[in-house]
Each structure stands twice: as structure tokens, then as C-alpha cells.
Amino acid sequence: MKIERITLDPKVMGGKPCLRGLRVTVGTIVGLVAAGQSIEAILEAYPYLVREDIFAALSYAAWRAEEYEVGLASA
């Protein structure tokens, strides 16, 4: 996974995962793909992104979707 393309900065989009410090969140990209937008259409709408950014956003979202928290037993 190209994790270096995903940035988390409290000063950018409230700390949401973004692409390369830009104001484009992983959630925005995932939402566009889920709505049926092609990679080409997304790149046309966001000309400062590259294909690798789209794949990095999807990989990051898939990775996060697989995470879960395990509660610790209280004493």
C-alpha cells in the first residue's frame, strides 16, 4: 500500500485522511468511486491527482475497513 500518499494533519480537513496533504479526502475519492465515477472522470475533476492517488485512497479505505478494536477485560 502506498501509505506515504495518505496524510493525516489536524490543520488539513480537520485531520481526516487526505491525499498528499491536499484538501482531497480518502472519503471523497471512495464516495466518487462508489457513485460510479471512473478513475478518468475523477482525475479530470481533480487534475492535481494521479492514478496512484486513487489506488492509494482505495487501498487505505479497504485497510481501515478491516480494522476493529478489541476491548480489554476489566479487572
Side-chain angles (χ1 to χ4, degrees), residues 13 23 27-28 37 39 50 53 67:
M13 299 300 286
R23 297 182 61 80
T28 296
Q37 294 295 313
I39 291 174
V50 296
D53 293 327
E67 280 192 348

Side-chain angles (χ1 to χ4, degrees), residues 10-71:
K11 297 176 190 167
V12 178
M13 299 300 286
K16 292 180 180 179
C18 292
L19 291 164
R20 296 185 288 121
L22 302 169
R23 297 182 61 80
V24 180
T25 65
V26 167
T28 296
I29 299 303
V30 171
L32 289 169
V33 171
Q37 294 295 313
S38 68
I39 291 174
E40 291 74 24
I42 296 169
L43 294 175
E44 189 174 314
Y46 298 92
Y48 40 86
L49 297 180
V50 296
R51 291 181 75 80
E52 290 80 11
D53 293 327
I54 307 302
F55 291 121
L58 294 172
S59 294
Y60 181 82
W63 172 67
R64 289 300 309 253
E66 290 298 316
E67 280 192 348
Y68 61 94
E69 292 186 30
V70 176

